[in-house]
Amino acid sequence: MKIKHSKYKNTGLIFELLVRKITAETLSGDESKAINILKSSFTNTELGKEYKLYETVFKKTTLTETKADILINTVLESSKKLNRSRLKREKYNLINEIKNHYNLDEFFKTKISNYKGYASLYTLIEAYSNDEKLIDTNDIINNKFTLLEIISNKTPNKNQVKDKLMEEFSKEDRDTKILTYRIMMDKFNGKYANLNENQKQVLQVYINSVDSSSKLREFHNEKVLEIKSELLKKSKKIKDKAVRIKINEITNLIQEISKGTFIKNEDIVNLLQYYSLLEEIDKSHGQI
């Protein structure tokens, strides 16, 4: 499920628009109705708490990529603690209050320079607070990438962003784990179509290994040893010297994951590819 941005529910955006309205009304000498709306809606409320999350993110614009990543993760974790039903009610009342004093369409037409940043953070907060967990993970990656770019003031490595999110999702529940698997399969299916039994087992263990990184690592290493053993056995029976050398080179590249190291998306994809290699060898050279 893709989370759609709603400017009518974006707390940070609405706060910024109210501040702009207060400034415009003050400069023109008019009594500012926006001041009372701002005070009543953002003082000692869930809206006020959520706005603080937006403020925390966007007041930092020169952080390193690592610190920016930590900041975003901390803010998103904090967003989960908000009372969602109260927040929803307060947003509804806020929009009605704005509608009572301003033309809603005109109010939201004001250009905000950091609109993209507000939209990205809104989408991430909604995604992380969503009970269904069936969120478009690529959408999460793209929005986090946008925020990292804004906060660190430079373009981060998108693959690194994806890998970090994989680690993050691997600590979540089974449904979220399946989403991680879905991204991984997008990459895998670019080259391979059907899964064999060994590959199905790898994915089944991966999905079910929620909060068991050591167990997954043990499984990975056990399979790596089996694959290396199979490749060496098959290599000895292949007559084509060039193919034999190539297989031996690949075998030497296959490594176990050391203790304390987290299993990454790429490690699981590699296991799937190794099993495809074994299958290809059998197809090309017969069952050897």
Side-chain angles (χ1 to χ4, degrees):
M1 182 177 74
K2 187 181 178 70
I3 298 288
K4 292 182 179 179
H5 174 242
S6 170
K7 59 187 178 183
Y8 299 104
K9 297 178 183 178
N10 189 318
T11 301
L13 185 64
I14 295 172
F15 186 95
E16 180 70 20
L17 289 170
L18 284 169
V19 170
R20 296 284 184 92
K21 185 63 74 175
I22 291 169
T23 303
E25 289 170 343
T26 302
L27 289 174
S28 63
D30 297 331
E31 181 185 351
S32 179
K33 297 160 187 169
I35 289 179
N36 292 329
I37 297 174
L38 196 70
K39 285 180 179 178
S40 62
S41 298
F42 290 89
T43 304
N44 298 322
T45 61
E46 292 301 295
L47 268 171
K49 292 176 187 176
E50 186 173 59
Y51 169 70
K52 284 294 180 185
L53 300 180
Y54 281 85
E55 185 183 47
T56 299
V57 169
F58 294 117
K59 72 180 179 182
K60 306 284 187 182
T61 55
T62 55
L63 295 179
T64 64
E65 190 178 326
T66 300
K67 287 183 179 178
D69 187 54
I70 293 170
L71 173 65
I72 293 169
N73 289 337
T74 303
V75 163
L76 291 175
E77 283 303 313
S78 297
S79 73
K80 294 179 183 179
K81 298 173 185 176
L82 295 172
N83 185 317
R84 305 306 298 180
S85 59
R86 188 182 300 167
L87 185 61
K88 183 178 180 180
R89 186 169 62 252
E90 288 176 359
K91 286 185 181 183
Y92 177 81
N93 292 336
L94 172 59
I95 291 299
N96 276 338
E97 189 65 19
I98 293 171
K99 194 189 296 183
N100 288 337
H101 297 286
Y102 303 103
N103 179 294
L104 211 56
D105 290 334
E106 289 297 322
F107 180 85
F108 280 99
K109 272 184 182 177
T110 304
K111 298 292 182 184
I112 301 294
S113 59
N114 198 18
Y115 183 89
K116 192 174 181 181
Y118 281 117
S120 291
L121 184 53
Y122 168 86
T123 304
L124 285 172
I125 288 174
E126 291 301 307
Y128 274 68
S129 305
N130 192 285
D131 291 332
E132 295 179 19
K133 300 286 185 185
L134 298 175
I135 307 300
D136 184 338
T137 322
N138 282 316
D139 194 39
I140 293 176
I141 290 168
N142 290 333
N143 282 295
K144 192 164 187 182
F145 183 83
T146 297
L147 278 185
L148 283 171
E149 192 170 19
I150 291 169
I151 300 170
S152 63
N153 205 21
K154 64 178 183 179
T155 303
N157 183 305
K158 200 160 191 176
N159 287 329
Q160 288 178 2
V161 173
K162 181 177 281 192
D163 284 341
K164 284 179 183 176
L165 278 168
M166 292 302 179
E167 286 190 26
E168 194 176 322
F169 286 138
S170 66
K171 297 171 187 171
E172 296 291 339
D173 60 19
R174 186 175 183 274
D175 288 339
T176 309
K177 194 90 170 187
I178 292 172
L179 292 179
T180 310
Y181 144 77
R182 206 182 284 169
I183 285 185
M184 183 176 60
M185 286 307 298
D186 285 344
K187 183 181 290 188
F188 183 75
N189 283 332
K191 187 174 181 182
Y192 305 99
N194 301 312
L195 297 175
N196 59 42
E197 290 306 311
N198 285 318
Q199 290 167 332
K200 287 176 184 176
Q201 184 194 16
V202 168
L203 293 175
Q204 191 64 44
V205 170
Y206 177 71
I207 292 169
N208 291 327
S209 63
V210 181
D211 294 328
S212 302
S213 55
S214 59
K215 196 178 202 178
L216 183 59
R217 185 173 57 249
E218 287 171 13
F219 171 80
H220 172 276
N221 289 344
E222 178 187 321
K223 292 302 169 187
V224 159
L225 292 175
E226 287 178 9
I227 290 166
K228 289 182 80 165
S229 176
E230 278 296 306
L231 284 172
L232 287 171
K233 270 197 260 182
K234 292 180 185 299
S235 174
K236 289 174 183 177
K237 296 178 182 179
I238 292 175
K239 295 177 182 178
D240 189 318
K241 186 178 178 181
V243 173
R244 197 163 61 245
I245 291 172
K246 194 66 178 173
I247 291 174
N248 289 336
E249 286 176 354
I250 293 170
T251 304
N252 291 331
L253 290 173
I254 301 175
Q255 299 294 325
E256 296 174 65
I257 302 295
S258 58
K259 191 174 181 180
T261 302
F262 196 90
I263 292 284
K264 295 180 181 177
N265 169 41
E266 295 300 325
D267 298 319
I268 302 300
V269 171
N270 286 341
L271 272 186
L272 300 177
Q273 291 174 335
Y274 297 149
Y275 278 119
S276 284
L277 175 61
L278 286 171
E279 198 171 54
E280 285 300 314
I281 290 172
D282 284 339
K283 283 179 184 177
S284 302
H285 302 275
Q287 294 285 336
I288 53 177

